[in-house]
């Protein structure tokens, strides 16, 4: 894997999901004319008072010898707070499931070298973070994840036997949307289903240059940012106002449409037209006007000093720049109600950081959003039953999920009188990605910097979302694996250099397209079309 591709993987830390047009006013004013609401989730409990854990029908048997579960989670890396969190959590769960948990928080940049290599080598792992955008399909194809709802499997139907709380609390769209050929290989987090793209901007710098919420509402294209980027650069000459990360701004495509095909290069449009009709034409985005215009614009911005000159290199850390407030605007997947901005502020460790959002995209539920955050059980786990029992606790027991999220009550956080959390020590909280990776957001507390109704709103936000026609489609890359390998090699040469403005698109883009075709991109596109057509026929029966 090239340094450029590694740098792109490092930047995934800004994705938190996985996933309109106003700033802080909630859902877009442009509502779908005939949207079909997704299946309704169970009624949410008030955020400030998570419901008490439901007792099991039979008291747990005495635990003579608890098993040890190794949980692998991506994040910012290990923390000295971990042993205290493990001790407190294990004291509580051992009598419930006769198991202890050890957390392995692996830094984003180390995930492939440590976690993926580890699961492939058969290292001891019992619970493993994955996502549709984070190797889920690849791990399933390699046989590295255990089927969870296989009645004929060696451990029976783990979901039905030991995950009843999961099935009772999750929107059915999560279960069906994360299946591969009808089989679940991971348990999704109960969180938002629609994750529209938008932007986060730095309020302090916005105030310096006179950028208001009214101005934010007028941003309808990348070019609309230009006068403000010019002012931001003049106000802070040593900074780079447009913070480049893994996702282009105003990207109109279904994210991760054909998993395994690099950089979402083969996909289709995300949003419906004014009549609610979707365009299901499958395209190579590198051949589109949108891609040419975007890479041309970023090349111009780089020459003007608006984007970081080292953005495509390993060692470039956009999350560190964001946390320090050394930027003006960055593209991000959003969750409505300014929730993403608040989460980023909470995890930054910077008390002076103030962020707000610019929404622009309609709410559309796609496959990768249902699987935007999941916990799987590795196929070689020696304790799959206990692993499923622990995942079930994360979905049903407020004490378990809030310890996993915030750490030890009284040491890392305390509950205030209004039912929100005061983070005394956020060393554990900032080591992992945040609330969206832990079980069930509906029984999580929120911090005292957040809306008390945040978690209820996360679920309700998707109630009027469109369901994309491709929801549930998963691409099997096996028939064109050789071509995808060749395409990856071409991507290593061109993708980062074009996306981050290093080279002139007028000369390099034609070469990129020519080499992609030589590598077999049209054959891959045709195979995706064939599988999609077959899937639609089967789905519509």
């Amino acid at each position: 894997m090239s340094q450029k591709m590694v740098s792109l993987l490092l930047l995934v830390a800004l994705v938190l999901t996985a996933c309109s047009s106003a700033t802080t006013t909630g859902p877009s004013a442009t509502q779908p004319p005939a949207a079909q609401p997704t299946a309704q989730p169970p009624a949410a409990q008030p955020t400030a008072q998570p419901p008490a854990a439901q007792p099991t029908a039979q008291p747990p048997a005495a635990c003579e010898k608890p098993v040890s579960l190794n949980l692998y989670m991506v994040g910012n890396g290990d923390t000295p707070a971990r042993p205290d969190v493990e001790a407190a959590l294990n004291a509580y769960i051992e009598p419930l499931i006769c198991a202890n948990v050890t957390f392995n928080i692996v830094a984003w940049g180390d995930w492939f070298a440590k976690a993926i290599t580890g699961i492939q080598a058969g290292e001891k792992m019992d619970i493993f973070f994955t996502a549709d955008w984070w190797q889920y399909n690849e791990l399933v194809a390699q046989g590295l994840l255990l089927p969870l709802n296989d009645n004929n499997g060696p451990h029976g139907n783990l979901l039905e036997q030991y995950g009843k709380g999961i099935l009772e609390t999750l929107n059915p769209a999560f279960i069906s949307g994360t299946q591969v050929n009808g089989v679940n290989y991971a348990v999704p987090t109960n969180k938002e289903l629609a994750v529209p793209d938008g932007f986060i901007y730095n309020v302090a710098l916005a105030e310096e240059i006179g950028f208001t919420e009214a101005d934010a509402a007028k941003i309808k294209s990348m070019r609309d940012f230009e006068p403000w980027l010019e002012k931001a650069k003049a106000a802070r000459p040593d900074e780079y106002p447009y913070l480049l990360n893994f996702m282009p701004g105003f990207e109109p495509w279904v994210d991760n449409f054909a998993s395994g095909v690099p950089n979402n290069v083969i996909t289709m449009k995300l949003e419906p037209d004014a009549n609610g009709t979707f365009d299901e034409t499958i395209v190579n985005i590198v051949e589109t006007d949108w891609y040419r215009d975007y890479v041309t614009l970023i090349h111009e911005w780089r020459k003007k000093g608006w984007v970081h000159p080292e953005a495509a290199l390993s060692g470039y850390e956009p999350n560190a720049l964001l946390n320090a407030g050394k930027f003006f605007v960055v593209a991000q997947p959003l969750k409505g109600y300014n929730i993403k901005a608040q989460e980023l502020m909470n995890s930054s460790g910077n008390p002076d950081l103030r962020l707000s959002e610019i929404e622009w995209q309609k709410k559309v539920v796609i496959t990768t959003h249902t699987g935007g955050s999941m916990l799987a059980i590795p196929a070689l786990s020696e304790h799959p039953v206990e692993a499923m029992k622990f995942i079930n606790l994360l979905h049903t027991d407020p004490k378990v999920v809030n310890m996993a999220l915030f750490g030890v009550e009284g040491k890392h956080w305390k509950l205030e009188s209004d039912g929100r959390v005061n983070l005394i020590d956020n060393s554990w909280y900032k080591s992992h990605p945040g609330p969206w990776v832990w079980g069930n957001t509906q029984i999580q507390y929120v911090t005292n910097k957040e809306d008390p109704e945040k978690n209820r709103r996360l679920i309700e936000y998707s109630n009027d979302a469109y369901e994309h026609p491709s929801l549930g489609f998963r691409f099997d890359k096996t028939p064109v694996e050789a071509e995808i390998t060749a395409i990856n090699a071409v991507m290593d040469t061109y993708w980062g250099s074009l996306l981050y403005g290093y080279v002139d698109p007028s000369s390099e883009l034609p070469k990129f397209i020519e080499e992609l075709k030589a590598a077999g991109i049209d054959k891959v596109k045709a195979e995706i079309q064939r599988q999609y057509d077959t899937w639609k026929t089967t789905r519509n029966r």
Side-chain angles (χ1 to χ4, degrees):
M1 183 178 298
S2 75
Q3 293 282 34
K4 292 176 183 174
M5 290 303 294
V6 170
S7 72
L8 292 176
L9 294 169
L10 280 166
L11 306 185
V12 177
L14 289 173
V15 162
L16 301 178
T17 129
C19 33
S20 311
S21 64
T23 52
T24 58
T25 55
S28 166
T30 305
Q31 296 298 332
Q36 297 299 315
T38 57
Q40 297 296 311
Q45 299 291 333
T47 300
Q49 297 294 334
Q54 297 298 314
T56 55
Q58 297 292 332
C63 179
E64 296 181 0
K65 188 177 181 181
V67 303
S68 176
L69 302 175
N70 275 12
L71 188 154
Y72 274 71
M73 175 59 69
V74 73
N76 292 321
D78 200 10
T79 168
R82 177 178 53 79
D84 290 333
V85 177
E86 290 173 347
L89 181 65
N90 290 334
Y92 178 73
I93 69 170
E94 184 177 305
L96 299 178
I97 63 171
C98 202
N100 290 323
V101 174
T102 298
F103 292 102
N104 299 268
I105 309 293
V106 180
W108 291 93
D110 294 332
W111 185 259
F112 281 75
K114 294 182 178 179
I116 296 296
T117 300
I119 195 172
Q120 291 171 338
E123 292 181 13
K124 175 175 169 43
M125 298 177 175
D126 302 285
I127 302 171
F128 196 84
F129 175 79
T130 188
D132 260 302
W133 48 270
W134 200 239
Q135 293 289 299
Y136 177 56
N137 270 14
E138 288 80 0
L139 293 171
V140 171
Q142 294 171 40
L144 296 173
L145 303 182
L146 194 68
L148 304 182
N149 60 339
D150 183 359
N151 292 325
N152 299 316
H155 307 285
N157 192 318
L158 290 168
L159 263 176
E160 287 189 0
Q161 292 182 77
Y162 308 106
K164 287 185 171 61
I166 296 167
L167 297 174
E168 290 169 357
T169 56
L170 272 180
N171 186 318
F174 279 114
I175 298 296
S176 60
T178 54
Q179 290 177 343
V180 179
N181 297 323
V183 178
N184 290 99
Y185 291 89
V187 177
T189 303
N190 188 19
K191 62 181 189 64
E192 70 284 349
L193 265 170
V195 188
D197 287 351
F199 297 89
I200 298 287
Y201 68 90
N202 181 350
V203 174
L205 181 51
E207 290 174 350
E208 287 183 42
I209 63 176
F211 183 83
T212 66
E213 288 187 9
D215 295 313
K218 297 175 184 176
I219 300 294
K220 306 297 181 184
S221 72
M222 294 294 284
R223 292 291 182 187
D224 291 340
F225 281 121
E226 292 190 325
W228 301 106
L229 295 172
E230 186 173 12
K231 290 180 180 181
K233 185 66 176 181
R236 300 184 182 181
D238 295 334
E239 296 180 10
Y240 302 93
Y242 190 77
L243 184 58
L244 282 171
N245 63 3
F246 66 98
M247 59 181 289
F250 287 99
E251 187 175 12
W253 313 113
V254 173
D255 188 30
N256 204 34
F257 169 70
S259 182
V261 178
N263 303 115
N264 199 40
V265 68
I266 306 294
T267 183
M268 61 175 60
K269 287 184 178 179
L270 174 73
E271 294 189 348
D273 63 19
N275 297 317
T277 302
F278 287 90
D279 181 353
E280 297 178 67
T281 305
I282 295 174
V283 299
N284 171 2
I285 65 172
V286 174
E287 294 183 294
T288 64
D289 291 342
W290 172 86
Y291 185 82
R292 184 194 64 242
D293 293 345
Y294 182 84
V295 297
T296 299
L297 174 137
I298 294 298
H299 182 59
E300 293 173 10
W301 288 8
R302 188 174 189 274
K303 290 191 291 187
K304 292 178 179 179
W306 295 352
V307 299
H308 202 291
E310 298 179 358
L313 304 180
S314 59
Y316 169 70
E317 298 182 0
N319 53 333
L321 295 171
L322 187 151
N323 293 342
K326 294 183 177 181
F327 78 107
F328 173 54
V329 66
V330 60
Q332 285 282 288
L334 304 181
K335 307 177 182 183
Y337 308 109
N338 217 50
I339 287 173
K340 182 61 173 291
Q342 190 62 62
E343 289 180 348
L344 290 173
M345 287 188 282
N346 289 346
S347 63
S348 71
N350 180 357
D352 298 321
L353 185 64
R354 291 180 293 142
L355 305 174
S356 193
E357 299 179 0
I358 300 172
E359 296 184 354
W360 68 272
Q361 199 172 59
K362 292 177 182 177
K363 294 180 287 185
V364 183
V365 181
I366 60 177
T367 302
T368 198
H369 291 165
T370 64
S373 169
M374 297 184 281
L375 292 178
I377 300 174
L380 296 181
S381 168
E382 297 177 358
H383 308 294
V385 170
E386 290 80 6
M388 180 57 74
K389 287 180 177 180
F390 179 73
I391 297 172
N392 192 65
L393 286 178
L394 287 171
H395 281 259
T396 58
D397 192 320
K399 190 165 185 176
V400 173
V401 75
N402 283 299
M403 276 195 278
L405 174 56
F406 297 113
V408 182
E409 185 173 7
K411 182 177 180 67
H412 300 119
W413 60 280
K414 65 179 180 180
L415 199 62
E416 296 189 334
S417 58
D418 64 357
R420 292 186 293 174
V421 165
N422 178 13
L423 280 170
I424 306 167
D425 174 356
N426 73 346
S427 54
W428 173 255
Y429 185 84
K430 70 180 182 181
S431 71
H432 61 73
W436 59 281
V437 300
W438 297 118
N440 183 358
T441 62
Q442 298 306 286
I443 57 173
Q444 293 174 2
Y445 290 118
V446 299
T447 71
N448 56 8
K449 296 180 180 179
E450 296 174 298
D451 180 353
E453 298 300 313
K454 166 194 163 182
N455 289 332
R456 176 183 61 80
R457 287 183 167 186
L458 277 175
I459 301 299
E460 291 181 353
Y461 183 61
S462 303
N463 285 349
D464 61 349
Y466 290 98
E467 285 193 2
H468 196 273
S470 68
L471 179 62
F473 172 68
R474 293 179 183 279
F475 174 59
D476 176 12
K477 68 178 183 179
T478 306
V480 286
E481 194 126 28
E483 287 77 11
I484 288 176
T485 299
I487 290 167
N488 268 312
V490 177
M491 287 286 175
D492 284 352
T493 301
Y494 290 99
W495 183 263
S497 59
L498 280 164
L499 202 67
Y500 295 113
Y502 277 62
V503 296
D504 186 348
S506 64
S507 60
E508 296 305 303
L509 182 54
K511 297 177 186 176
F512 187 20
I513 294 172
E514 182 180 355
E515 292 190 30
L516 283 175
K517 289 185 175 296
I521 192 74
D522 290 333
K523 181 179 178 181
V524 173
K525 179 182 169 185
E527 177 61 22
I528 294 170
Q529 184 74 64
R530 184 193 68 77
Q531 290 188 28
Y532 185 72
D533 291 343
T534 301
W535 172 81
K536 286 206 71 173
T537 300
T538 304
R539 183 190 189 216
N540 292 333
R541 283 176 183 169

